[in-house]
Amino acid sequence: MASTATHILGIETSCDETAAAVVRRNADGSGTMLSNVVRSQLKEHAPYGGVVPEIAARAHVTVLDRLIAQAMAEAGLAFKDLDGIAATAGPGLLGGVIVGLTTAKAIALAEGKPLLAVNHLEGHALTPRLLEPCAFPYLLLLISGGHTQFQVVEGVGRYRRLGSTIDDALGEAFDKVAKLVGLGYPGGPQVEIAARNGNPVRFDFPRPLKGRRDCNFSFSGLKTAVREAVIGLHTLTPRDVADVCASFEAAVADTMRDRLARAMEAFREMHPDAVSPALIVAGGVAANATLKSVFAQSAADHGFRLIVPPAALCTDNGAMIAWAGAERLALGLVDDLSVAARARWPLDATQAPVYGAGKLGAKA
Ligand code: KG4
Ligand code: ZN
């Protein structure tokens, strides 16, 4: 364990946010965020209704240097003051991941500092420990545009996946529903706003996998049911849009209540001695107010302490990567400069591969 404070630069380029941040891991293991700079590429991708990988990679290249300089300046540090350089090494859009990881390697090489190749999902998983004391083990629900899964976080580098989506991610389902009813991209926030004035019981949409013993999710059937309802309406009035969105959100809320109950039971079976364990919800969809009240109620019902990091740390950012790097450095888990970027990298296998290992891009 490191007994002195460490300062880590974190770089995130795995999807449509370019981000850089500096965090300090204090000698007592607590964290301090010194800077957290994020540039969203929403404008570049909006005309296409989704993230275009090539555009994403080019946009990262264009702004990353400037963002890193800004993060360092806001932290009041020079590269020589850093104890390590962390970057997302996957999972994500490969072109973007390569931009951030290669930049981190260049800085690490030039400055003679350790490189920390961070699993993006580990960044989300460890974020609560940057903000407040949060003992292992705890339960993580990650709901973003690309991921929907439960992880039991047992330690740094020690994860057990309880379940994940078998088709669409939850954020993706929100985005597709938004598209079906003619709302813009990203759809989640707009579906939430439209749903506020809608009738949540007008459409009886399915509650996928409700009652199942596993902890998986499925959203493609729900999306299809929404599509059929929309087709049946021919032309959509604003009231129809509101009612579809409200009924969709109600189906998601019911499903999440059921899936969460199952996951908390599974957690209890694995860790019967955990007293008031934390339930962490991260990812863009965690911003949804209706779902947040479901999480709060479910956590209370099952004796869990709910932690939803503030939006800026819930969606993709550099601080979560810097912090995961700091936690890994404290355990001596540094990476070689030959470490490879990975499009797929399940969290339950947190050791980054090196080039030539033969398993790059293996399906998660
Ligand atoms: O974590 P995130 O910012 O980015 C990645 O996916 O990496 O998540 C973005 C996703 C999008 O699908 C967006 O539609 C969804 O989160 N989202 C929401 C809300 N805000 C963002 N979904 C539902 N309600 C919201 N308020
Ligand atoms: Zn993410």
Side-chain angles (χ1 to χ4, degrees):
M1 278 285 214
S3 56
T4 53
T6 53
H7 294 87
I8 308 291
L9 168 67
I11 298 171
E12 158 59 35
T13 56
S14 67
C15 191
D16 59 347
E17 263 101 22
T18 318
V22 179
V23 305
R24 181 170 61 229
R25 184 180 181 280
N26 303 304
D28 64 0
S30 64
T32 308
M33 197 164 66
L34 301 181
S35 62
N36 193 24
V37 185
V38 182
R39 184 193 172 275
S40 166
Q41 302 176 355
L42 261 186
K43 261 204 265 135
E44 283 94 327
H45 300 294
Y48 305 95
V51 179
V52 183
E54 179 65 22
I55 292 177
R58 285 167 187 249
H60 290 309
V61 170
T62 309
V63 301
L64 184 57
D65 286 11
R66 188 161 47 78
L67 258 58
I68 291 172
Q70 190 183 336
M72 294 300 297
E74 285 180 18
L77 297 175
F79 285 147
K80 67 171 172 41
D81 303 321
L82 295 171
D83 299 283
I85 321 293
T88 298
L93 301 172
L94 201 56
V97 175
I98 288 171
V99 172
L101 184 59
T102 306
T103 304
K105 286 179 181 180
I107 300 171
L109 182 65
E111 301 290 331
K113 305 286 182 185
L115 173 73
L116 302 138
V118 171
N119 183 313
H120 177 88
L121 304 174
E122 182 162 46
H124 282 301
L126 298 177
T127 294
R129 291 167 53 82
L130 165 63
L131 304 169
E132 58 185 280
C134 185
F136 300 121
Y138 54 81
L139 180 62
L140 169 74
L141 168 61
L142 178 60
I143 38 176
S144 69
H147 301 280
T148 300
Q149 54 185 251
F150 285 116
Q151 293 277 354
V152 177
V153 183
E154 296 184 330
V156 176
R158 291 174 49 212
Y159 305 92
R160 284 208 259 175
R161 183 164 35 169
L162 289 181
S164 52
T165 182
I166 55 174
D167 39 58
D168 294 347
L170 182 53
E172 196 181 348
F174 269 92
D175 294 337
K176 286 177 176 171
V177 166
K179 216 172 186 174
L180 286 170
V181 297
L183 299 174
Y185 173 84
Q190 307 204 34
V191 168
E192 176 172 17
I193 292 166
R196 279 185 207 146
N197 305 313
N199 175 0
V201 296
R202 174 164 161 203
F203 299 95
D204 186 17
F205 292 137
R207 274 60 174 158
L209 306 192
K210 191 168 173 180
R212 279 259 297 254
R213 286 296 295 161
D214 62 39
C215 299
N216 289 332
F217 301 88
S218 166
F219 295 108
S220 84
L222 174 56
K223 173 195 66 193
T224 304
V226 171
R227 178 184 294 121
E228 280 164 6
V230 168
I231 291 169
L233 289 166
H234 304 294
T235 49
L236 289 175
T237 64
R239 167 122 317 275
D240 292 333
V241 171
D243 292 348
V244 168
C245 290
S247 300
F248 166 74
E249 221 177 55
V252 171
D254 255 6
T255 303
M256 297 312 282
R257 198 175 290 113
D258 176 72
R259 302 289 74 202
L260 263 171
R262 180 63 205 110
M264 287 187 275
E265 273 170 38
F267 181 97
R268 291 282 188 202
E269 283 159 21
M270 290 163 87
H271 294 286
D273 301 331
V275 180
S276 190
L279 166 66
I280 318 296
V281 187
V285 188
N288 185 287
T290 305
L291 295 183
K292 233 187 246 178
S293 65
V294 169
F295 305 145
Q297 191 58 55
S298 298
D301 290 349
H302 290 81
F304 279 63
R305 185 167 62 94
L306 178 67
I307 303 177
V308 183
L313 293 175
C314 228
T315 57
D316 292 349
N317 64 85
M320 72 183 200
I321 303 304
W323 178 250
E327 293 239 53
R328 293 183 71 81
L329 180 65
L331 296 173
L333 299 170
V334 301
D335 292 278
D336 194 89
L337 287 177
S338 62
V339 71
R342 300 183 74 177
R344 293 179 185 272
W345 184 5
L347 186 53
D348 355 14
T350 41
Q351 213 53 51
V354 296
Y355 284 113
K359 285 224 166 159
L360 304 186
K363 228 176 164 113

